[in-house]
Coordinates of all heavy atoms in Angstrom, one line a residue:
K81 N -44.0 6.5 17.6 CA -45.3 7.2 17.4 C -45.1 8.7 17.2 O -45.8 9.3 16.3 CB -46.2 6.9 18.6 CG -47.6 7.4 18.4 CD -48.5 7.0 19.6 CE -49.9 7.4 19.3 NZ -50.8 7.1 20.5
N82 N -44.2 9.3 17.9 CA -44.0 10.7 17.8 C -43.2 11.1 16.5 O -43.4 12.2 16.0 CB -43.2 11.3 19.0 CG -44.2 11.6 20.2 OD1 -44.7 12.7 20.3 ND2 -44.4 10.6 21.0
V83 N -42.4 10.2 16.0 CA -41.7 10.4 14.7 C -42.8 10.5 13.6 O -42.8 11.4 12.7 CB -40.7 9.3 14.4 CG1 -40.3 9.3 12.9 CG2 -39.4 9.5 15.3
V84 N -43.7 9.5 13.6 CA -44.8 9.5 12.6 C -45.7 10.7 12.8 O -46.1 11.4 11.8 CB -45.6 8.2 12.7 CG1 -46.8 8.2 11.8 CG2 -44.7 7.0 12.3
A85 N -46.1 11.0 14.0 CA -46.9 12.2 14.3 C -46.3 13.5 13.9 O -47.0 14.4 13.5 CB -47.3 12.2 15.8
A86 N -44.9 13.6 13.9 CA -44.2 14.8 13.5 C -44.2 14.9 12.0 O -43.7 15.9 11.5 CB -42.8 14.7 14.1
G87 N -44.7 13.9 11.3 CA -44.6 14.0 9.8 C -43.3 13.6 9.2 O -43.1 13.9 8.0
L88 N -42.4 13.0 10.0 CA -41.1 12.6 9.4 C -41.1 11.3 8.7 O -40.2 11.0 8.0 CB -40.1 12.5 10.6 CG -39.9 13.8 11.4 CD1 -38.9 13.6 12.5 CD2 -39.4 14.9 10.5
A89 N -42.2 10.5 8.9 CA -42.3 9.2 8.2 C -43.8 8.7 8.3 O -44.5 9.1 9.2 CB -41.4 8.2 8.8
D90 N -44.2 7.9 7.4 CA -45.5 7.2 7.5 C -45.4 5.9 8.3 O -46.4 5.5 8.8 CB -46.1 7.0 6.1 CG -46.4 8.3 5.4 OD1 -46.7 9.3 6.1 OD2 -46.3 8.3 4.1
R91 N -44.2 5.3 8.3 CA -44.0 4.1 9.1 C -42.6 4.2 9.7 O -41.7 4.8 9.1 CB -44.0 2.9 8.2 CG -45.4 2.4 7.7 CD -45.3 1.3 6.7 NE -44.5 0.2 7.1 CZ -43.8 -0.6 6.3 NH1 -43.7 -0.4 5.0 NH2 -43.1 -1.6 6.8
C92 N -42.5 3.8 10.9 CA -41.2 3.9 11.6 C -41.0 2.7 12.6 O -41.9 2.5 13.4 CB -41.2 5.2 12.4 SG -39.6 5.5 13.2
T93 N -39.9 2.1 12.5 CA -39.4 1.0 13.4 C -38.2 1.6 14.1 O -37.3 2.1 13.5 CB -39.1 -0.3 12.7 OG1 -40.3 -0.8 12.1 CG2 -38.6 -1.3 13.7
I94 N -38.2 1.4 15.4 CA -37.0 1.9 16.2 C -36.5 0.7 17.1 O -37.3 0.0 17.7 CB -37.4 3.0 17.1 CG1 -37.7 4.3 16.3 CG2 -36.3 3.3 18.2 CD1 -38.2 5.5 17.1
Q95 N -35.2 0.5 17.1 CA -34.6 -0.5 17.9 C -33.7 0.2 18.9 O -32.9 1.1 18.6 CB -33.7 -1.5 17.1 CG -33.1 -2.6 18.0 CD -31.9 -3.3 17.3 OE1 -30.9 -2.6 17.2 NE2 -32.0 -4.5 17.0
L96 N -33.8 -0.3 20.2 CA -32.9 0.2 21.3 C -32.2 -1.1 21.8 O -32.8 -2.1 21.9 CB -33.7 0.9 22.4 CG -34.5 2.1 22.0 CD1 -35.3 2.6 23.2 CD2 -33.6 3.2 21.4
S97 N -30.9 -1.0 22.2 CA -30.3 -2.1 22.8 C -29.6 -1.7 24.1 O -29.1 -0.5 24.2 CB -29.2 -2.7 21.8 OG -28.2 -1.8 21.6
Y98 N -29.5 -2.6 25.1 CA -28.9 -2.4 26.4 C -28.0 -3.5 26.8 O -28.2 -4.7 26.4 CB -30.0 -2.1 27.4 CG -30.8 -0.9 27.1 CD1 -31.9 -0.9 26.2 CD2 -30.5 0.3 27.8 CE1 -32.6 0.3 26.0 CE2 -31.2 1.5 27.5 CZ -32.2 1.5 26.6 OH -32.9 2.6 26.4
A99 N -27.1 -3.2 27.8 CA -26.3 -4.2 28.5 C -26.6 -4.1 30.0 O -26.8 -3.0 30.5 CB -24.8 -4.0 28.2
I100 N -26.7 -5.2 30.7 CA -27.0 -5.2 32.1 C -26.0 -4.4 32.9 O -24.8 -4.5 32.7 CB -27.1 -6.7 32.6 CG1 -27.6 -6.7 34.1 CG2 -25.7 -7.4 32.5 CD1 -28.0 -8.1 34.6
G101 N -26.5 -3.5 33.7 CA -25.7 -2.7 34.6 C -25.2 -1.4 33.9 O -24.5 -0.6 34.5
V102 N -25.5 -1.3 32.6 CA -25.0 -0.1 31.8 C -26.2 0.8 31.6 O -27.3 0.3 31.1 CB -24.4 -0.5 30.5 CG1 -23.9 0.7 29.7 CG2 -23.2 -1.4 30.8
A103 N -26.1 2.1 31.8 CA -27.2 3.0 31.7 C -27.6 3.4 30.3 O -28.7 3.2 29.9 CB -26.9 4.3 32.5
K104 N -26.6 3.9 29.5 CA -26.9 4.4 28.2 C -27.2 3.2 27.2 O -26.5 2.2 27.3 CB -25.8 5.3 27.7 CG -25.7 6.6 28.4 CD -24.8 7.5 27.7 CE -24.7 8.9 28.3 NZ -26.0 9.6 28.1
P105 N -28.1 3.4 26.3 CA -28.3 2.4 25.2 C -27.1 2.2 24.4 O -26.3 3.1 24.1 CB -29.5 2.9 24.4 CG -29.5 4.4 24.6 CD -29.0 4.6 26.0
L106 N -26.8 0.9 24.0 CA -25.7 0.6 23.2 C -25.9 1.1 21.7 O -24.9 1.4 21.0 CB -25.4 -0.9 23.1 CG -25.3 -1.6 24.5 CD1 -24.9 -3.0 24.3 CD2 -24.3 -0.9 25.4
S107 N -27.1 1.2 21.3 CA -27.4 1.6 19.9 C -28.9 2.1 19.8 O -29.7 1.7 20.6 CB -27.2 0.4 18.9 OG -28.1 -0.6 19.2
I108 N -29.1 3.0 18.9 CA -30.4 3.5 18.5 C -30.5 3.3 17.0 O -29.6 3.8 16.2 CB -30.6 5.0 18.8 CG1 -30.4 5.2 20.3 CG2 -32.0 5.4 18.4 CD1 -30.4 6.7 20.7
Y109 N -31.5 2.6 16.5 CA -31.6 2.3 15.1 C -33.0 2.7 14.6 O -34.0 2.4 15.3 CB -31.4 0.8 14.8 CG -31.8 0.4 13.4 CD1 -30.9 0.6 12.3 CD2 -33.0 -0.3 13.2 CE1 -31.3 0.1 11.1 CE2 -33.3 -0.7 11.9 CZ -32.5 -0.5 10.8 OH -32.8 -0.9 9.6
V110 N -33.1 3.4 13.5 CA -34.4 3.8 12.9 C -34.5 3.3 11.5 O -33.6 3.4 10.7 CB -34.5 5.4 12.9 CG1 -35.8 5.8 12.2 CG2 -34.5 5.9 14.4
D111 N -35.7 2.8 11.2 CA -36.0 2.3 9.8 C -37.4 2.9 9.5 O -38.4 2.7 10.2 CB -36.1 0.8 9.7 CG -36.3 0.3 8.3 OD1 -36.5 1.1 7.4 OD2 -36.2 -0.9 8.1
T112 N -37.4 3.8 8.5 CA -38.7 4.4 8.0 C -39.3 3.7 6.8 O -40.2 4.2 6.2 CB -38.5 5.9 7.8 OG1 -37.5 6.1 6.8 CG2 -38.1 6.6 9.0
H113 N -38.7 2.6 6.4 CA -39.3 1.7 5.4 C -39.6 2.4 4.1 O -40.6 2.2 3.4 CB -40.6 1.0 5.9 CG -40.4 0.4 7.2 ND1 -40.0 -0.9 7.4 CD2 -40.6 0.8 8.5 CE1 -39.9 -1.2 8.7 NE2 -40.3 -0.2 9.4
G114 N -38.7 3.3 3.7 CA -38.8 4.1 2.5 C -39.9 5.2 2.5 O -40.2 5.8 1.5
T115 N -40.5 5.4 3.7 CA -41.5 6.5 3.8 C -40.9 7.8 4.5 O -41.7 8.7 4.7 CB -42.7 6.0 4.7 OG1 -42.3 5.8 6.1 CG2 -43.2 4.6 4.1

């Protein structure tokens, strides 16, 4: 929501991934769908 509000995209999907017992996310993925 903040990515879109910042004017960086009109649509934005974000994926986060985690492992049990591990603090930091394993991955951060962004798709702005061509916008």
